[in-house]
Amino acid sequence: MTEAASRRRPGTPCWVSLMVHGLSETQEFYGDLFGWEFQPGPEQLGPYVRALLGGREVAGIGQMPPDRHLPIAWTTYLASDDVDATAETVRHCGGTVGVGPLDAGEAGRLAIGSDPDGAVFGIWQAAAHLGTTEAGVPGTPVWNELVTRETGSVGKFYQAVFGYETEAVVSADFDYLTLYLEGRAVASLHGVGQALPRDRGAHWMTYFEVADVDAAVRRVTELGGHVLQPPRQGETGRLATVADPEGAVFTVVRTER
């Protein structure tokens, strides 16, 4: 997967990471569900592990400091060649930067920001760690979508910060924007209006590939997670939205190719 393993163009989703209270229990959940193995580090991030599939890095899980009570959620990281400059642009365009920029040892440099509607995302400047190095197979993140109230103004924010080209679905009742870099679709924005969950607000959703959506959903419940949207047929394949035992929400999908 040379494309997945090479340095990403700025704006490309390159990593997903989760901060939880019970690191070992969360490792057991995702290890069973996706077949992940784990390797510790970088140590600058505190108790933190990288999830591996066949020796390739696919995601990160860290332990939240006991005095922090932040939402438990998967965070999408977008690539940057200069995280400090990108963080400044985020602020200039109406977003906020809550963490960093800070060094993660030899791995790279990161910041965590939020867009003007409050959706949290990461910014990653790669050094030794380029990000996810396996793609398309079960257990890997295959898509990232911003779920927000409406795409109009927030779409302009992401365009200004990361230079995306955009393509909208022309529909009176469907507010959907695909983000492109060099002609390649890399992420999407979905405006859901009043259907936006009040307890979560605007958020980035990670889609993980699975071999069998229905089997994955059954396993999620057996492992102590729960189902938010049962299996259904989407435009790109069969999918379901679930949450892990600590409440981190994600989507499992069997992509039709």
Side-chain angles (χ1 to χ4, degrees):
M1 306 298 292
T2 55
E3 182 186 12
S6 61
R7 184 174 291 277
R8 270 48 166 227
R9 171 167 174 163
T12 308
C14 61
W15 187 244
V16 292
S17 190
L18 174 65
M19 298 296 285
V20 295
H21 296 296
L23 183 55
S24 59
E25 297 87 347
T26 301
Q27 285 178 245
E28 288 178 19
F29 173 86
Y30 287 102
D32 189 305
L33 183 63
F34 292 141
W36 289 351
E37 297 174 333
F38 298 95
Q39 187 173 347
E43 60 188 24
Q44 287 82 1
L45 301 179
Y48 191 87
V49 295
R50 286 160 292 155
L52 309 177
L53 265 182
R56 293 175 174 266
E57 297 178 349
V58 293
I61 304 174
Q63 186 161 311
M64 199 176 288
D67 56 339
R68 300 294 291 275
H69 296 284
L70 300 170
I72 306 292
W74 280 100
T75 300
T76 297
Y77 279 76
L78 305 172
S80 170
D81 285 341
D82 184 337
V83 71
D84 296 77
T86 303
E88 195 55 46
T89 306
V90 165
R91 293 190 190 96
H92 180 73
C93 293
T96 59
V97 177
V99 176
L102 56 89
D103 284 324
E106 296 177 353
R109 190 162 169 80
L110 69 91
I112 297 176
S114 56
D115 67 29
D117 290 342
V120 173
F121 62 94
I123 307 164
W124 181 253
Q125 179 181 338
H129 173 68
L130 295 172
T132 302
T133 54
E134 182 65 282
V137 301
T140 62
V142 289
W143 193 247
N144 295 271
E145 179 174 280
L146 174 68
V147 182
T148 190
R149 197 169 298 282
E150 56 89 23
T151 64
S153 60
V154 79
K156 292 182 176 65
F157 166 83
Y158 286 100
Q159 278 182 281
V161 175
F162 294 105
Y164 298 118
E165 303 98 46
T166 63
E167 182 180 37
V169 172
V170 181
S171 168
D173 57 356
F174 192 56
D175 181 13
Y176 193 88
L177 207 61
T178 304
L179 305 180
Y180 291 84
L181 288 171
E182 297 178 326
R184 184 169 72 95
V186 295
S188 54
L189 312 183
H190 188 186
V192 298
Q194 296 302 315
L196 191 67
R198 285 198 180 149
D199 57 335
R200 299 186 65 209
H203 59 277
W204 278 90
M205 174 76 77
T206 302
Y207 287 65
F208 290 100
E209 187 75 20
V210 293
D212 183 325
V213 170
D214 298 77
V217 166
R218 286 193 298 272
R219 197 68 191 128
V220 165
T221 56
E222 290 166 1
L223 293 168
H226 54 279
V227 180
L228 301 179
Q229 293 182 325
R232 60 200 186 276
Q233 193 63 30
E235 289 193 10
T236 58
R238 190 163 176 78
L239 70 163
T241 304
V242 297
D244 70 20
E246 287 204 23
V249 177
F250 58 99
T251 294
V252 290
V253 60
R254 170 69 191 266
T255 307
E256 291 174 355
R257 292 181 171 83

